[in-house]
Amino acid sequence: MKYHPNMKNSLLLIFSTFAVSLSSQITFQKWYGAAAGFEYSLSAVPVSSGGYIVSMNSDSTPSGLMDMLLLRTDANGNEVWRKYYGSSGWDIATGVIETNDGGFALCGAWN
């Protein structure tokens, strides 16, 4: 898998598509990323309690392979928590939704 060299060691989640006011103004833009490695996102959705849940992929784990990552932010884009999910192989997150009970369902694939 090839990675874009400008994306190494950082991640820009541009919430201009997601975090906009009714007048289409950007609410916030934040950088999230690991100190080393590669992380990227395919999905960021607003949650009912405010803020966003972001499904990400990261190779900044002990296995050194790609693992799924959920990142929760508050309404201002500040990180609330992050949780990694993975096996000894490649694990790729493709999306996330909020469930009716306030939890999250992470979608993806693994090998």
Side-chain angles (χ1 to χ4, degrees):
M1 178 179 277
K2 290 192 171 210
Y3 301 118
H4 191 281
N6 293 336
M7 302 231 0
K8 190 72 174 165
N9 296 328
S10 64
L11 169 71
L12 171 63
L13 293 178
I14 301 175
F15 283 100
S16 57
T17 303
F18 304 103
V20 293
S21 66
L22 293 177
S23 61
S24 298
Q25 297 296 312
I26 295 173
T27 305
F28 65 83
Q29 291 181 332
K30 295 277 186 170
W31 283 91
Y32 305 94
F38 181 76
E39 294 181 345
Y40 67 94
S41 172
L42 296 175
S43 174
V45 295
V47 295
S48 61
S49 60
Y52 296 84
I53 188 72
V54 184
S55 67
M56 300 173 66
N57 297 298
S58 173
D59 71 356
S60 304
T61 61
S63 71
L65 298 175
M66 198 61 66
D67 281 336
M68 298 179 194
L69 167 60
L70 277 182
L71 175 74
R72 176 73 163 85
T73 73
D74 63 17
N76 297 316
N78 300 310
E79 185 175 323
V80 175
W81 52 258
R82 65 173 51 212
K83 295 183 181 179
Y84 294 88
Y85 301 92
S87 64
S88 60
W90 284 76
D91 307 285
I92 305 294
T94 57
V96 63
I97 61 169
E98 182 177 14
T99 58
N100 291 337
D101 63 359
F104 305 103
L106 178 62
C107 303
W110 67 94
N111 69 359

